[in-house]
Amino acid sequence: MKTFFADEQRKHDPKMFLSSGAAQPNPEKPERIERLLAGAKAAGSEIVRPRDHGLKPIAAIHTPEYIEFLQNIFLRWQRIEGASEEVVPNIHPLARGGRYPASAVGQAGYHMADTACPISADTWGSACWSAWSAVEAAEAVLSGARSAYALCRPPGHHAFADVAGGFCFLNNSAIAAQHLLGSSKRVAILDVDLHHGNGTQGIFYGRSDVLTVSLHADPVRFYPFFWGHADERGEGAGLGYNLNLPLARKTADEGFLEALEVANRRIEAFAPDALVIALGLDAFEGDPFGGLSVSTPGFARIAEAIALLGLPTVIVQEGGYLCDELGANLISFLTGFK
Ligand SMILES: [Zn+2]
């Protein structure tokens, strides 16, 4: 299986992060890439640089005003006297039905869900290359590869069509799924990250051509709090095409695999032409977020169970934070998927 990754993805290096109101170092560090690259290589994967795919695959998911915002907001922010080094929102609309603001501060609040996704000079470039890694992996699968791995960083699954959030700017998994639809009728996205894939759910909530399934720590007391509950099933034409499987805190391998069985049966019934796995490794028992308790060998078992679906599969990296086993967890998953 090939790994797609571009060096430009290293440049985004966010500093700001608020955890329960306290300023902390941002956990979405470039160092994650080194651990994941080492893991991919150790799993026998060849590292391939993606091509520049331009704005088209990004604009197939994200709105024009949001793309313009991401492209320009850093320079606009620098013109504000006394502004922070990174773009961080300090005001949000209560509902988004109000007027679209003209000011940089207003737009930051409109397009950024939280303080976990600060924007610097390098953010847009890194986010584009991360998305293009996902597009290139989708291209590989469209060209006949059974599977491909996109080492996407920054990650994507908390990004909505016009909102950044939770370390995410462009929704790489959604972009890969939409790209696969170029020659498929139906695509399923299976999100196994510790956190609910709220952005991915939001993007496809009214559609029946992309099934979205997410296993995650129960959001009743966990990020992203407002989404990820079992009664969110889609709307309109998309009703029944979103499945959330919230798990109790500290759920370990057996509990995770049981829920995965439910997910896999739903995906089989949907009968997609291709699959996107939103691969968060933060469900790991030693991950700094500490929400679930999947073991290192558990990731291989998860991968084996998903591989049994027998679908052409794009694996898109989502979360998974710095801990000694980050690379080993990726090796376990990629080896299990073979
Ligand atoms: Zn996560």
Side-chain angles (χ1 to χ4, degrees):
M1 183 187 324
K2 285 182 179 167
T3 291
F4 294 96
F5 166 75
D7 286 331
E8 288 86 344
Q9 293 174 230
R10 287 191 173 93
K11 290 187 179 174
H12 169 66
D13 187 5
K15 305 288 186 255
M16 174 69 174
F17 180 60
L18 285 181
S19 180
S20 307
Q24 304 279 354
N26 193 297
E28 207 288 279
K29 294 184 189 311
E31 170 68 17
R32 295 179 59 236
I33 286 174
E34 312 317 324
R35 312 275 180 104
L36 294 167
L37 265 185
K41 285 178 190 162
S45 185
E46 177 195 351
I47 314 297
V48 180
R49 180 180 169 81
R51 291 164 289 176
D52 173 341
H53 288 271
L55 281 182
K56 199 175 168 202
I58 294 169
I61 291 297
H62 296 283
T63 65
E65 70 185 10
Y66 178 59
I67 292 172
E68 212 174 284
F69 166 82
L70 289 177
Q71 286 173 317
N72 302 320
I73 190 62
F74 179 74
L75 285 177
R76 293 170 60 205
W77 199 260
Q78 302 317 301
R79 293 188 207 123
I80 305 172
E81 206 184 323
S84 54
E85 248 175 69
E86 300 177 307
V87 180
V88 179
N90 57 268
I91 183 166
H92 297 280
L94 267 181
R96 300 187 76 229
R99 180 174 298 190
Y100 185 68
S103 91
V105 172
Q107 286 180 10
Y110 189 89
H111 288 300
M112 299 168 87
D114 51 50
T115 56
C117 45
I119 294 174
S120 66
D122 294 311
T123 302
W124 171 246
S126 291
C128 282
W129 283 102
S130 186
W132 293 332
S133 287
V135 171
E136 201 71 54
E139 290 268 319
V141 165
L142 288 173
S143 304
R146 181 177 167 251
S147 59
Y149 170 59
L151 202 174
C152 291
R153 186 269 163 190
H157 73 151
H158 297 306
F160 287 73
D162 65 350
V163 181
F167 315 138
C168 303
F169 304 91
L170 298 176
N171 194 313
N172 308 307
S173 293
I175 288 167
Q178 188 66 41
H179 203 72
L180 289 168
L181 280 176
S183 55
S184 318
K185 284 199 182 72
R186 294 148 83 87
V187 175
I189 302 176
L190 173 57
D191 190 321
V192 296
D193 189 279
L194 163 65
H195 304 94
H196 174 243
N198 55 334
T200 315
Q201 169 175 307
I203 287 165
F204 297 113
Y205 210 55
R207 287 170 54 172
S208 59
D209 55 344
V210 178
L211 172 73
T212 46
V213 180
S214 182
L215 285 76
H216 47 266
D218 194 329
V220 73
R221 290 185 184 278
F222 209 73
Y223 187 91
F225 303 108
F226 313 108
W227 302 274
H229 305 279
D231 58 359
E232 295 158 22
R233 300 181 52 243
E235 65 185 11
L239 185 62
Y241 294 91
N242 184 76
L243 174 63
N244 285 332
L245 297 163
L247 303 168
R249 288 287 283 272
K250 303 293 176 192
T251 292
D253 294 354
E254 298 308 325
F256 198 98
L257 287 160
E258 263 173 47
L260 185 62
E261 189 63 23
V262 176
N264 284 345
R265 296 297 79 78
R266 178 66 190 98
I267 292 167
E268 273 178 350
F270 178 67
D273 305 299
L275 176 69
V276 174
I277 302 173
L279 176 62
L281 296 167
D282 44 5
F284 176 54
E285 56 191 347
D287 187 89
F289 281 97
L292 294 174
S293 298
V294 172
S295 70
T296 298
F299 285 109
R301 295 174 67 194
I302 291 167
E304 282 162 18
I306 302 171
L308 285 176
L309 292 169
L311 292 164
T313 301
V314 177
I315 301 168
V316 174
Q317 186 65 48
E318 297 285 358
Y321 299 92
L322 290 181
C323 56
D324 290 343
E325 299 85 350
L326 181 56
N329 291 338
L330 181 62
I331 296 171
S332 179
F333 190 92
L334 294 181
T335 309
F337 199 82
K338 276 175 189 163

